[in-house]
Amino acid sequence: MELLDNLALGFSTALLIQNVLYCFVGVLLGTAVGVLPGIGPTATVAMLLPITFSFEPVTALIMLAGIYYGAQYGGSTTAILINLPGESSAAVTALDGHEMARQGRAGPALAAAAIGSFIAGTVATVVLAAAAPPLASVALKFGPADYFSLVLLGLIVSIALARGTALKALAMIALGVLLGTVGQDIYTGTPRFVFEQRELYGGIDFVSVAVGLFGVAEILRNLENEQTRTAIVSKVTNLWPTREDRRRIVAPILRGTGLGAALGVLPGGGHVLASFTSYAVEKRVSKRPQEFGRGAIEGVAGPESANNAAAQTSFIPLLTLGLPAHPVMALMIGAFIVHGITPGPNVINDEPALFWGLIASMWIGNVLLLLLNLPLIGLWVRMLRIPYQVLFPMIILFAAIGTYSLNFNAYDVYAIAFFGILGYILIKCGCEPAPLLLGFVLGPLLEENLRRALIISRGDPSVFLTRPISAVLLALALAALLVAVLPTIRQRRAVVFAEEE
């Protein structure tokens, strides 16, 4: 009964006129920008983050969540229509979705993606509502040593799910943690790495880092590859799947939903792993494995369901532990902090309307996505005809204006340019910026809990091994590090990312 009361509180918050309106705006903007090839949910949320900072906290977070799963859906649209996934997890969708589009069956492919996403999102929202409260109550028992070990585990696990070699991913995390230490010491107030720049005393601005690394850098990379953009942008017809299509997608949607809900909580890229795992499972259990890669509708429905379910359940570690499962959740942590809310297990008790309102809004957002995207598919197709050289300068301009409006400080705009160039260089060197952002967000949390644990234990480092929870988490972190560098795992990661590209 308590769960029903909490959901009633959530829906009463989420169904307020302004919250429904901004949820609608979020999914619309997210889909619109997510449709643009190569941008994806992380860059979309990063660039649209500044416009939410003047809203009420619950409204801002509802809109950001809408942007996130709207952009996830938009990524599948580009994967199906022009074979350019808007996001890593949509890479599998392109394998069969684009083949269906080339065969004149883009409509059923888009419908299968939409229906699978809606069912998976609905189920995953129920899982999130049921799992979050008990996890939050367990997390309240964590001490500083346990939190340090938990954050360390999250960073280590993200290495295995990052593009490139494990050494490069580890280097990106270390660089992110280092950037997170810029500013004044959290206990003594001593300036660190500020180089006598007054603007750095408060630390590097999170929004500038996010917009630069994921917005500007991705745009520079896509401008370089514009010639690869070949589209099937003829009129999409026959959206509703046939009876045979509907029969074939039921089981993949259910299996994908289960896989995505379970794997979405993994740090680093659980949603990517969920999509690839779902595709592999569907190909293995199918009676027509030869059709996969040639237009099998199961190859669209399963991965898209897994992707959307993972997108919803990735909020579980964010809302209960204050830990981001991937870069978009790191951006959500930034939004929490900007609004004066500390993400973690106390949110469910301190801000129940926000907590349950955000969860309820996910179901509303999924309904809006279903109602919006199929009727507006013609609009998304026409958006694909806009030239990059017109579209991308406008996106950068609005992102820069939004960032500047937060503090009215030109230094933040210069930081966008700096991190945009840095992100582009990292991409060209084969390094993925996502672990850097995770390290940047989690670095201060890692340092704070490390120092707090040592202060409480009077400088005795054995506290991390004598506390059972901390010892188990450190053992898991060590095991994850060993697994990440095993030759078989390295080869499997190389195959996955080669397929993605």
Side-chain angles (χ1 to χ4, degrees):
M1 288 302 294
E2 184 180 356
L3 178 60
L4 294 178
D5 292 340
N6 288 329
L7 287 175
L9 171 64
F11 277 104
S12 67
T13 303
L15 289 172
L16 293 174
I17 295 298
Q18 70 269 25
N19 291 338
V20 173
L21 174 63
Y22 281 109
C23 184
F24 172 81
V25 171
V27 297
L28 184 65
L29 283 176
T31 306
V33 184
V35 159
L36 303 175
I39 294 184
T42 307
T44 303
V45 174
M47 290 184 290
L48 296 177
L49 184 65
I51 68 176
T52 65
F53 288 161
S54 60
F55 300 162
E56 288 293 315
V58 63
T59 304
L61 291 166
I62 284 174
M63 182 173 173
L64 285 172
I67 291 172
Y68 170 45
Y69 39 79
Q72 287 276 27
Y73 184 86
S76 68
T77 301
T78 56
I80 291 168
L81 293 180
I82 64 174
N83 200 27
L84 277 180
E87 210 265 340
S88 304
S89 53
V92 185
T93 306
L95 297 176
D96 285 284
H98 187 62
E99 284 300 313
M100 289 181 68
R102 292 180 63 184
Q103 296 164 15
R105 302 189 69 233
L110 291 165
I115 294 166
S117 295
F118 173 74
I119 294 172
T122 300
V123 173
T125 301
V126 174
V127 172
L128 171 58
L135 275 176
S137 63
V138 170
L140 286 171
K141 300 174 183 176
F142 278 31
D146 305 323
Y147 256 111
F148 168 81
S149 302
L150 181 65
V151 174
L152 186 65
L153 173 63
L155 290 174
I156 296 299
V157 171
S158 69
I159 292 173
L161 298 176
R163 186 193 309 270
T165 65
L167 184 61
K168 287 181 179 178
L170 186 60
M172 288 298 96
I173 288 174
L175 178 59
V177 172
L178 182 64
L179 290 173
T181 63
V182 172
Q184 292 178 298
D185 185 278
I186 56 176
Y187 287 109
T188 66
T190 305
R192 303 181 297 188
F193 308 115
V194 297
F195 304 105
E196 298 183 358
Q197 297 294 314
R198 181 176 55 83
E199 288 85 355
L200 290 177
Y201 273 61
I204 299 173
D205 184 64
F206 168 79
V207 178
S208 299
V209 175
V211 173
L213 285 178
F214 291 98
V216 177
E218 282 295 316
I219 284 173
L220 291 174
R221 184 178 65 84
N222 280 289
L223 285 173
E224 181 181 80
N225 299 322
E226 187 181 1
Q227 69 275 9
T228 64
R229 187 184 183 194
T230 57
I232 296 177
V233 291
S234 57
K235 187 176 181 182
V236 177
T237 56
N238 301 324
L239 275 173
W240 193 245
T242 64
R243 177 180 293 183
E244 175 64 12
D245 288 336
R246 294 197 297 274
R247 185 188 65 79
R248 289 175 61 175
I249 65 175
V250 171
I253 287 175
L254 296 178
R255 284 190 290 263
T257 299
L259 281 169
L263 297 175
V265 298
L266 293 179
H271 60 307
V272 180
L273 183 62
S275 294
F276 279 93
T277 303
S278 173
Y279 189 84
V281 167
E282 293 311 318
K283 190 172 182 179
R284 185 176 295 273
V285 303
S286 175
K287 296 177 181 177
R288 313 176 185 85
Q290 70 279 1
E291 290 185 16
F292 280 75
R294 299 177 182 175
I297 197 167
E298 296 94 336
V300 176
E304 275 303 301
S305 301
N307 176 25
N308 203 273
Q312 309 285 354
T313 56
S314 63
F315 280 86
I316 292 176
L318 171 72
L319 293 174
T320 59
L321 302 171
L323 296 178
H326 52 79
V328 175
M329 293 300 108
L331 295 169
M332 294 290 286
I333 282 185
F336 270 96
I337 293 170
V338 166
H339 286 286
I341 299 169
T342 302
N346 289 316
V347 173
I348 191 170
N349 296 319
D350 297 345
E351 302 281 349
L354 183 148
F355 183 92
W356 293 104
L358 180 59
I359 291 175
S361 75
M362 293 176 188
W363 187 80
I364 296 170
N366 275 286
V367 172
L368 291 173
L369 273 175
L370 189 65
L371 297 177
L372 266 178
N373 282 295
L374 293 181
L376 292 182
I377 194 65
L379 174 63
W380 310 137
V381 168
R382 282 192 290 274
M383 280 188 62
L384 295 173
R385 297 193 175 104
I386 301 174
Y388 275 168
Q389 59 265 33
V390 173
L391 192 64
F392 283 172
M394 292 172 58
I395 293 174
I396 292 178
L397 173 65
F398 285 117
I401 291 172
T403 304
Y404 176 77
S405 68
L406 297 181
N407 302 312
F408 295 101
N409 190 341
Y411 197 87
D412 294 340
V413 181
Y414 300 148
I416 289 177
F418 172 79
F419 283 104
I421 295 170
L422 175 64
Y424 178 71
I425 293 171
L426 292 175
I427 290 170
K428 298 302 290 182
C429 292
C431 298
E432 189 178 7
L436 191 156
L437 186 67
L438 289 175
F440 179 74
V441 171
L442 293 177
L445 188 62
L446 191 75
E447 180 193 7
E448 181 182 353
N449 284 289
L450 171 65
R451 295 175 67 176
R452 188 181 295 171
L454 291 175
I455 288 170
I456 293 172
S457 67
R458 300 181 182 274
D460 181 9
S462 66
V463 67
F464 298 104
L465 298 176
T466 54
R467 287 185 62 88
I469 296 176
S470 176
V472 169
L473 292 172
L474 286 177
L476 290 173
L478 179 61
L481 185 60
L482 293 174
V483 167
V485 298
L486 285 175
T488 52
I489 299 296
R490 289 207 309 269
Q491 291 168 8
R492 180 58 189 155
R493 288 168 72 249
V495 169
V496 166
F497 289 121
E499 288 174 357
E500 182 183 316
E501 292 167 359

